[in-house]
Amino acid sequence: MRYIFDLHRTMVAKSLILAYEGEFTQEITKSVLSMAERNLDSLGEESNIKRKVFNVMVECLQNIAKHSDEFPETTLRNSAIFMIGKEEGDYIISTGNPIQKDKVDFLRSKLDEINSLDKDGLKALYKEIIKNGELSDKGGAGLGFVDMARKSGNKLEFGFEPIDSHTDFFMLQTRISRG
């Protein structure tokens, strides 16, 4: 029973507004977005900040829904996480989901490239992807990550934790500054 208290204490300490772990279907995604929007409304957040936060949340949730890998083991299936919190007045949107190890290097290089660019570089990359982006079979060319970096105005924080010899847990965090 102690884990309930520990989890609550962590959520309060991290100023988490919403946390969800599990399956991300279209319906669940809508519900998570709706709950987060209500929480932002109850905090009396300005509409331009709400719009940025909402847009980044949509990209993050779409990323989980579209790009989570299929795993035969039931322990990995439906094990993605989404959290939104506040830190020093900024909103922090965090996600995590298992991915195949063979995708880690590609994903890391894509995110490193995005993080190396300034505002104008991100705009140019966005246009380039729209114009000649090679879409994957799941519809992505890194456009969502570029959009998150552009909308947040900050670098994307990310990491990979090994789960087993074939799988890593991909973590992504986006900060939306209020000022």
Side-chain angles (χ1 to χ4, degrees):
M1 296 285 283
R2 170 82 186 185
Y3 76 92
I4 298 169
F5 175 68
D6 291 342
L7 179 59
H8 179 263
R9 190 168 52 194
T10 299
M11 289 182 75
V12 169
K14 294 289 185 184
S15 300
L16 290 177
I17 296 166
L18 177 68
Y20 175 80
E21 189 277 334
E23 181 181 20
F24 281 83
T25 63
Q26 193 79 12
E27 265 325 291
I28 290 170
T29 299
K30 283 183 197 172
S31 296
V32 168
L33 287 169
S34 179
M35 284 187 285
E37 189 174 28
R38 277 195 297 278
N39 285 336
L40 290 171
D41 285 341
S42 72
L43 292 171
E45 192 52 74
E46 296 173 21
S47 62
N48 64 328
I49 300 295
K50 275 196 306 192
R51 190 171 36 259
K52 282 183 186 178
V53 170
F54 193 79
N55 286 336
V56 171
M57 283 189 315
V58 167
E59 290 295 344
C60 286
L61 291 166
Q62 283 180 343
N63 184 51
I64 291 172
K66 281 186 192 173
H67 300 288
S68 286
D69 289 328
E70 293 294 322
F71 295 95
E73 304 92 31
T74 55
T75 55
L76 293 178
R77 191 172 307 199
N78 305 331
S79 61
I81 188 165
F82 170 86
M83 297 178 287
I84 180 170
K86 250 181 142 178
E87 186 179 281
E88 299 170 9
D90 295 344
Y91 288 98
I92 310 294
I93 298 169
S94 307
T95 61
N97 58 283
I99 63 168
Q100 299 290 343
K101 240 185 217 320
D102 63 2
K103 295 182 179 176
V104 170
D105 288 340
F106 175 77
L107 196 50
R108 180 180 280 121
S109 69
K110 186 72 93 173
L111 290 164
D112 282 341
E113 176 190 4
I114 290 166
N115 281 340
S116 73
L117 300 172
D118 62 7
K119 186 178 178 178
D120 291 335
L122 287 170
K123 185 177 181 179
L125 180 58
Y126 185 87
K127 286 180 178 179
E128 180 185 325
I129 291 171
I130 292 286
K131 186 179 172 190
N132 3 306
E134 293 185 22
L135 299 178
S136 72
D137 56 349
K138 292 186 178 180
L143 195 59
F145 292 132
V146 175
D147 212 27
M148 283 185 249
R150 289 182 70 205
K151 294 218 166 82
S152 71
N154 290 301
K155 303 293 180 199
L156 302 176
E157 297 175 49
F158 63 94
F160 303 91
E161 284 293 324
I163 294 174
D164 59 33
S165 62
H166 305 291
T167 316
D168 276 13
F169 194 75
F170 168 54
M171 300 160 291
L172 178 68
Q173 190 165 282
T174 310
R175 177 181 296 268
I176 292 112
S177 303
R178 294 185 69 241

